[in-house]
Amino acid sequence: MSIIKPQIETSWKTILSDEFNKNYFLELKQFLLDEKKQHTIFPKGKDIFNAFNYTPLNKVKVVILGQDPYHGIGQAHGLSFSVPDGMKQPPSLKNIFKEIASDLKLPIPETGNLSTWAKQGVLLLNATLTVRAKEAGSHQKKGWEQFTNSVIQEISEKKEGVIFLLWGRFAQDKAELIDKNKHYILTSPHPSPFSAYSGFFGCKHFSKTNKLLTEQGLKEIDWKI
């Protein structure tokens, strides 16, 4: 399992090397080893750190923060809100595409694979990087949150002008980790069907993100998939 010897992009591996050696992370690794003996874990080991492998630190321009990987078979592949080609789009992702269609007049894609965003500098980071099959939230409070909090802090410290899209209360609680004098924070309700009509629809985060990138002299994100 790749968590034992993290298969993670070189720049992240260097920056996060101290985290990998801390007690909490060693305990997390043992927890995952024990879990794997009795349960199916998502995503596959090789995909756990895909957010980092697709988006090296020097490429990060935008961060979209999710909570957990999808817990259905074949859904999770290490990128928040994303599913592999051929998988049915989950409800929150459908709503993300609806907002993009409204905001930017783009067609709703057939695939739910967001790796094209990741390759352009959108870090698709879940707060918890693994989950037990069919048990949402089952790997919360096992150490992943400490790890991903440190990732957010590293981005805040080492970068400037990154745009953080924080959807829902859980993501918005992470704002305290971000230097607001150096970065941009856009907040809205979560795109879940339970809250999307409370302000996610109409937030225009995708056009706003591109405007902020343009103002910094950076290339816009092509949100079309």
Side-chain angles (χ1 to χ4, degrees), residues 44-221:
K44 294 176 182 176
K46 67 180 179 61
D47 293 334
I48 290 172
F49 295 105
N50 264 354
F52 306 95
N53 295 334
Y54 276 105
T55 317
L57 179 64
N58 70 320
K59 297 283 182 66
V60 174
K61 298 193 287 189
V62 181
V63 177
I64 298 180
L65 188 66
Q67 189 163 5
D68 281 318
Y70 297 120
H71 54 86
I73 294 170
Q75 289 182 303
H77 66 142
L79 304 175
S80 64
F81 293 102
S82 180
V83 291
D85 292 324
M87 289 298 300
K88 183 180 178 183
Q89 296 173 6
S92 291
L93 183 56
K94 281 185 177 179
N95 286 339
I96 290 170
F97 288 149
K98 285 179 184 176
E99 175 58 23
I100 290 173
S102 169
D103 185 13
L104 299 173
K105 307 299 183 280
L106 291 175
I108 292 177
E110 293 182 10
T111 182
N113 188 337
L114 306 181
S115 59
T116 55
W117 295 359
K119 291 172 184 175
Q120 295 178 74
V122 182
L123 183 68
L124 296 166
L125 181 66
N126 278 318
T128 302
L129 298 189
T130 57
V131 69
R132 188 186 295 176
K134 300 179 181 177
E135 292 189 41
S138 49
H139 287 185
Q140 290 178 7
K141 299 180 181 176
K142 302 295 183 183
W144 277 129
E145 292 90 343
Q146 186 171 341
F147 176 74
T148 52
N149 280 354
S150 72
V151 171
I152 295 168
Q153 288 172 312
E154 288 288 349
I155 295 169
S156 179
E157 183 183 318
K158 292 186 166 59
K159 302 277 292 183
E160 284 190 21
V162 174
I163 301 148
F164 291 83
L165 306 185
L166 305 183
W167 300 332
R169 185 172 298 172
F170 172 84
Q172 288 162 22
D173 285 345
K174 304 292 183 180
E176 65 185 24
L177 305 170
I178 303 162
D179 185 341
K180 299 165 190 64
N181 295 316
K182 292 172 61 184
H183 303 284
Y184 304 95
I185 298 174
L186 302 182
T187 63
S188 82
H190 195 276
S192 156
F194 299 106
S195 54
Y197 287 96
S198 301
F200 177 76
F201 289 140
C203 71
K204 299 188 181 297
H205 278 186
F206 304 95
S207 60
K208 288 176 181 177
T209 293
N210 279 349
K211 185 172 185 289
L212 290 169
L213 291 172
T214 300
E215 287 171 357
Q216 296 180 74
L218 298 173
K219 188 176 180 181
E220 295 184 347
I221 303 298

Side-chain angles (χ1 to χ4, degrees), residues 18 29 53:
D18 288 347
K29 287 199 287 189
N53 295 334

